[in-house]
Amino acid sequence: MTMGSSAQTVKAGEFKAKCLELMDRVAESGEPIVITKRGKPVAMLTPARDPSQTVFGYYKGRMEIVGDIVSPLDTDWGPAEPKPRPERKKRRAR
């Protein structure tokens, strides 16, 4: 095994022999391992994310809607009136 710039690299044959050990190491450390074949990267072993840790659905069951969120408001949401432009002083020709 060699240390790369940011991820550890392992030759495919070594990965095959130590697969379970490497999987445990990635799960504990969270650091990915790049698997190479003939010196070229072919795969990456990364830790699996816990589905409960994703952003989507994070607040499911934790929030409560209070009041009516469907009916229109009493506020006019139309376009704003443009502000009048201040008059510019005309320059004299020299």
Side-chain angles (χ1 to χ4, degrees):
M1 279 184 273
T2 61
M3 291 297 290
S5 58
S6 63
Q8 219 176 11
T9 59
V10 177
K11 294 178 183 178
E14 187 176 356
F15 175 76
K16 184 176 177 182
K18 299 180 178 181
C19 179
L20 296 176
E21 176 189 329
L22 294 172
M23 287 171 51
D24 289 340
R25 185 182 306 168
V26 168
E28 287 176 16
S29 70
E31 296 293 322
I33 295 178
V34 176
I35 302 152
T36 61
K37 198 170 188 179
R38 296 186 186 105
K40 295 184 181 180
V42 293
M44 182 179 284
L45 179 63
T46 60
R49 283 203 260 160
D50 182 6
S52 65
Q53 298 294 325
T54 63
V55 174
F56 300 104
Y58 180 76
Y59 285 107
K60 184 176 182 179
R62 298 180 186 193
M63 297 180 75
E64 179 181 344
I65 297 173
V66 180
D68 186 5
I69 62 169
V70 179
S71 297
L73 299 174
D74 294 334
T75 306
D76 180 25
W77 289 91
E81 294 293 322
K83 293 182 181 178
R85 296 179 102 183
E87 291 187 32
R88 298 178 98 181
K89 294 181 181 179
K90 294 185 180 180
R91 292 186 179 180
R92 290 181 155 179
R94 293 185 182 185

